[in-house]
Amino acid sequence: MSERLEEKTILVVDDEDGVRESVREILSDEGYRVLEAASGTIVAEIIRKERPRLVLLDIWMPEMDGIGLLKEIKKMEPETNVVMISGHGNIHTAVTATKFGAFDFIEKPLSLDGLLLTVRRALGESPAIVDESKRKTGKARRRGSKAKAARRSAHTLKQRTLKKSVVISGHGLHSGVKTGLILHPLPPNSGILFSGISADAAVPAHLDYVGSTGYATSLSGKGIVVGTVEHFLGVLHSYRISNLLVKVQGEIPILDGSALEFCGLIEEAGIQEQEHEWSEIVVDRPYRVEVKGDESIAIEPADFFGVRYYLDYPKPVGIQEYTYIFNGPESFKREIAPARTFGFLRDIEKLEKLGLVDGGRLSNCILLDDEKVINTELRFPDEFVRHKILDIFGDFYLLGRPIRGMVSARMTGHSDNITLLKEIKKGMDL
Ligand code: ZN
C-alpha cells in the first residue's frame, strides 16, 4: 500500500438516518472523524478518497447486498476492518460475513458502551473484551497459583489461541435449530469466552457459569445462554487452547454427534503459542462423588490426565469399559473425538414429546432400539463408553485450565461431573 489508512477515520454505511446520526454523535464525542453513507453506491469512492481505518456497515439495506459490499471493501482495502451492523442477530449471516472478513458485529438498537468497545477493538485500541467475570477467573487463578506455586511450576505451559478466525455451521441437537460457530483468537489471559454475535458481553467457559446439566452441559450468565458445550470444550481441552472468543447463538452445533469436526476446525485455524504462561491444575488428593446405587465418579492424583469409564446399559450396549490416558491431541483425535452421542429410541420419543430433541435431526446421534443400532454403523465396538469419556474431557475444562489427575467414573453423567469439579474447586481453593 502506498499510503497509510486514516487511523481516526470511521465510515458509517446505513440507510437509517437515525442510526448514522447516533453513531456520529457517539464517535465524534470520542474524537473520531466520522464519514457517512446512506447507500452503498458511494462507498467505494469514499474509501478510495478517505481511506478510513474502520467501516461500520449495515448488513440489511434496501437494494443493497451487505455481504457483497463487505467483499468489495475487503478487496479494495484488506487492512480496513469492517464491523457489520445487524438488525436481528442471525448466526448464519454472521458466519458468512466472518468468512468474508468481517471483524465483528454490533446489533441494533446500538448501545453506547457496546459500540465504543467494538470500535476500540476494531481499531486495535482496546486489546481484550472487558468482562468482569474474566477478571474474577483471573483472580482465582492467581490465588490458586500462590498456594500451589511449587508443585505447579513443573507443569507450566505456554498459553495458546488460534492463528486466525474460523467458522462452522450445523444444527443444535436439542433445539434442532440451524446454528453456527465463529471462533476468534484472543490475547493472553482472556480465557475461553462465549458471546452472541456481537462480542460486547460474554460468558466464560467456567464452572461458576454452568446452567443446566440434564442431557448436556450449558453455560449461562451475562444474558447469554449456550447449550451443549461439552464436545467442543473437550477439543479445546485436548488442544490446550487457553484464549478464544466463541460466537454462537443458543446452542453449539451437534454436527455428527462427535468432536471430530471441531478438531478439524482447530487444525484449519492453526494454533498460536502466546508469550504468557499458565499452569495445569494438578489434583492434590483424591476427590469422590457417590451418586446413587453403583454410580460414582472420582479423581486421584496422577502425572497425566486420564479417564477410566465403566458403563452397564441395557441391550444392545451391555457392559463397556475403556481407559484413556491423554498424551496429546493426536491420540485424542484417534481414540475419543470420533465417538458419537447416542440415544435409545424409547427415550428419544419421550424427549421429543417434551420438545427436548427435534426428530428431524436424528442423523446427529447413534440411535438404538432394544436389539440393535438402527441408523448407522458404529465407528468402534465400544463407541458408547468412548463418548462418555469425551463428555468428561469437555466438562473437566470448566475449571478454566487443563487438569492432571486420573478420573474413574461409573454410569455417571454431566451433573455428576460438575459436582466433582465443584468439590475439586473447593478442596483446592481454585
Ligand atoms: Zn456427549
Side-chain angles (χ1 to χ4, degrees):
M1 251 183 305
S2 54
E3 295 168 70
R4 282 173 55 84
L5 296 171
E6 295 298 331
E7 290 295 334
K8 283 279 174 186
T9 302
I10 299 171
L11 170 63
V12 188
V13 187
D14 198 306
D15 62 302
E16 286 181 62
D17 298 344
V19 171
R20 290 199 315 279
E21 206 171 298
S22 51
V23 168
R24 189 186 57 229
E25 274 174 21
I26 295 170
L27 297 181
S28 308
D29 279 355
E30 297 294 317
Y32 298 106
R33 175 170 168 252
V34 182
L35 308 171
E36 295 178 43
S39 79
T41 47
I42 50 169
V43 167
E45 202 192 319
I46 297 178
I47 287 182
R48 207 169 290 123
K49 266 198 192 146
E50 306 282 347
R51 308 181 58 88
R53 178 76 182 83
L54 172 65
V55 178
L56 304 177
L57 173 60
D58 187 5
I59 210 160
W60 306 113
M61 286 183 291
E63 296 153 37
M64 231 355 274
D65 166 15
I67 299 284
L69 195 51
L70 163 68
K71 281 198 243 178
E72 209 179 304
I73 295 169
K74 292 303 284 186
K75 212 170 134 193
M76 285 178 71
E77 285 292 353
E79 300 291 314
T80 294
N81 276 335
V82 181
V83 168
M84 308 303 282
I85 306 173
S86 90
H88 25 254
N90 176 323
I91 189 81
H92 301 291
T93 320
V95 163
T96 309
T98 305
K99 235 185 248 175
F100 292 117
F103 178 83
D104 205 343
F105 297 80
I106 44 180
E107 288 174 280
K108 290 181 194 172
L110 303 178
S111 83
L112 180 100
D113 290 348
L115 174 66
L116 282 178
L117 188 62
T118 308
V119 163
R120 288 192 183 121
R121 284 181 50 235
L123 292 172
E125 297 169 358
S126 160
I129 293 168
V130 178
D131 188 296
E132 285 159 36
S133 50
K134 186 191 75 199
R135 281 202 285 269
K136 189 177 158 200
T137 312
K139 200 174 128 207
R141 210 178 270 162
R142 282 191 297 278
R143 204 173 56 215
S145 70
K146 220 184 217 173
K148 299 281 183 291
R151 175 194 279 267
R152 292 191 348 201
S153 62
H155 301 285
T156 298
L157 308 164
K158 284 258 191 236
Q159 292 189 22
R160 290 173 157 196
T161 189
L162 298 185
K163 282 196 170 134
K164 60 168 186 169
S165 299
V166 281
V167 299
I168 193 168
S169 300
H171 290 84
L173 173 65
H174 299 281
S175 59
V177 170
K178 270 188 96 178
T179 180
L181 276 193
I182 302 172
L183 311 184
H184 290 295
L186 280 183
N189 299 323
S190 303
I192 308 296
L193 299 174
F194 289 91
S195 78
I197 292 164
S198 69
D200 50 4
V203 59
H206 193 272
L207 194 55
D208 295 348
Y209 296 90
V210 168
S212 64
T213 49
Y215 295 94
T217 302
S218 76
L219 296 168
S220 145
K222 313 268 160 192
I224 292 162
V225 177
V226 190
T228 322
V229 295
E230 61 270 20
H231 307 157
F232 178 64
L233 284 183
V235 172
L236 298 186
H237 195 171
S238 157
Y239 284 80
R240 302 297 200 234
I241 305 296
S242 25
N243 305 301
L244 192 67
L245 177 65
V246 186
K247 292 186 173 185
V248 59
Q249 207 167 34
E251 193 178 1
I252 304 278
I254 187 71
L255 305 173
D256 67 353
S258 81
L260 213 44
E261 283 183 75
F262 294 133
C263 295
L265 189 65
I266 300 300
E267 289 178 10
E268 181 198 331
I271 292 170
Q272 179 67 54
E273 288 216 327
Q274 297 172 297
E275 278 315 304
H276 292 60
E277 293 184 328
W278 65 336
S279 53
E280 294 178 308
I281 293 165
V282 181
V283 170
D284 57 348
R285 63 169 174 85
Y287 294 86
R288 184 176 182 85
V289 171
E290 296 286 346
V291 191
K292 54 178 186 299
D294 61 351
E295 295 178 26
S296 66
I297 183 163
I299 191 166
E300 56 190 82
D303 202 31
F304 48 79
F305 182 58
V307 184
R308 183 186 310 115
Y309 198 100
Y310 171 95
L311 62 77
D312 181 359
Y313 278 4
K315 258 180 54 178
V317 176
I319 291 176
Q320 299 199 338
E321 189 171 0
Y322 196 81
T323 300
Y324 173 69
I325 307 293
F326 175 72
N327 67 350
E330 280 308 313
S331 74
F332 174 82
K333 206 167 84 177
R334 204 171 48 239
E335 293 180 47
I336 302 300
R340 290 163 294 175
T341 309
F342 59 96
F344 287 90
L345 193 55
R346 53 174 183 275
D347 296 334
I348 301 275
E349 284 162 354
K350 240 185 286 169
L351 293 177
E352 235 177 323
K353 279 192 194 121
L354 292 169
L356 284 172
V357 293
D358 173 46
R361 305 248 53 92
L362 292 180
S363 58
N364 295 330
C365 71
I366 304 169
L367 203 51
L368 302 148
D369 67 9
D370 295 339
E371 299 296 324
K372 60 190 180 311
V373 173
I374 59 172
N375 66 336
T376 183
E377 298 271 318
L378 290 182
R379 292 176 178 171
F380 312 96
D382 51 6
E383 188 167 349
F384 311 101
V385 69
R386 290 179 193 233
H387 185 81
K388 288 297 202 173
I389 294 175
L390 170 61
D391 285 341
I392 288 180
F393 236 86
D395 286 340
F396 273 66
Y397 207 33
L398 289 167
L399 287 169
R401 282 184 279 142
I403 186 165
R404 277 190 190 230
M406 183 69 201
V407 177
S408 307
R410 212 182 152 91
M411 299 293 285
T412 48
H414 296 294
S415 310
D416 313 312
N417 299 343
I418 298 303
T419 308
L420 181 62
L421 290 174
K422 284 181 178 161
E423 291 288 315
I424 298 169
K425 181 172 181 272
K426 207 170 86 192
M428 291 186 69
D429 189 28
L430 295 171

